């Protein structure tokens, strides 16, 4: 049976700020909605699930992010994950110009965790904290 990745879902503190960040980077909003009811309780596994959602996709249409903000149950604030923690780690984007992408992120108050590294003459890479503490990786192909 074939399988394909549909999307990565990320709970955020401020949906509008997260949508603004990712659309500034070049993703496109393909839908927004508010969801609740028995079907969401069953699918998500939370009673009384009520969320605002936004689905975004890359311009090539191959990758999507589902961002959501819980209305109920009450969102639980946690410390943002660190790069070496087990679990959901980061969302990565290949970009044409890493400096331009970092300038866009900086307009949203998001800066590299350390700097830009080069991997084996193939990629320039950096991690940064995006909205709600999400770790975002930018990778610019430089050869290879």
């Amino acid at each position: 049976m074939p399988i394909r990745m549909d999307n990565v879902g990320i709970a955020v503190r401020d949906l509008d700020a997260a949508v603004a960040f990712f659309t500034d980077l070049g993703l496109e909003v393909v839908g927004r909605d508010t969801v609740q009811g028995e079907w969401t309780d069953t699918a998500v596994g939370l009673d009384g699930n009520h969320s605002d959602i936004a689905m975004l996709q890359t311009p090539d249409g191959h990758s999507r992010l589902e961002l959501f903000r819980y209305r109920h149950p009450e969102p639980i604030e946690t410390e943002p994950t660190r790069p070496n923690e087990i679990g959901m780690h980061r969302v990565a984007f290949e970009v044409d110009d890493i400096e331009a992408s970092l300038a866009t992120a900086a307009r949203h108050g998001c800066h590299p965790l350390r700097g830009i590294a080069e991997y084996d003459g193939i990629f320039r890479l950096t991690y940064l904290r995006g909205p709600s503490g999400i770790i975002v990786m930018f990778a610019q192909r430089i050869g290879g």
Side-chain angles (χ1 to χ4, degrees), residues 32-73:
R32 285 186 81 144
D33 202 357
T34 297
V35 296
Q36 63 182 338
E38 186 176 332
W39 75 269
T40 62
D41 294 356
T42 300
V44 176
L46 291 172
D47 291 334
N49 182 39
H50 185 187
S51 302
D52 298 314
I53 63 172
M55 185 66 76
L56 294 85
Q57 73 179 12
T58 54
D60 64 8
H62 293 287
S63 303
R64 296 192 299 177
L65 280 181
E66 181 180 339
L67 304 174
F68 46 93
R69 181 185 64 84
Y70 277 96
R71 292 181 180 202
H72 187 270

Side-chain angles (χ1 to χ4, degrees), residues 5-12 18 21-23 25 27 56-58 62-67 81-83 87-95 98 101-102 105 110 113 125-139:
M5 175 70 77
D6 184 73
N7 70 72
V8 173
I10 303 173
V12 297
F21 174 81
F22 287 110
T23 56
L25 290 175
L27 277 72
L56 294 85
Q57 73 179 12
T58 54
H62 293 287
S63 303
R64 296 192 299 177
L65 280 181
E66 181 180 339
L67 304 174
T81 59
R82 295 180 349 173
M88 182 69 178
H89 185 225
R90 59 158 166 73
V91 58
F93 297 98
E94 186 172 336
V95 298
I98 201 166
S101 296
L102 285 171
C110 304
L113 298 181
L125 309 159
T126 191
Y127 281 21
L128 59 102
R129 288 265 178 219
S132 299
I134 301 164
I135 298 176
V136 176
M137 182 183 91
F138 293 147

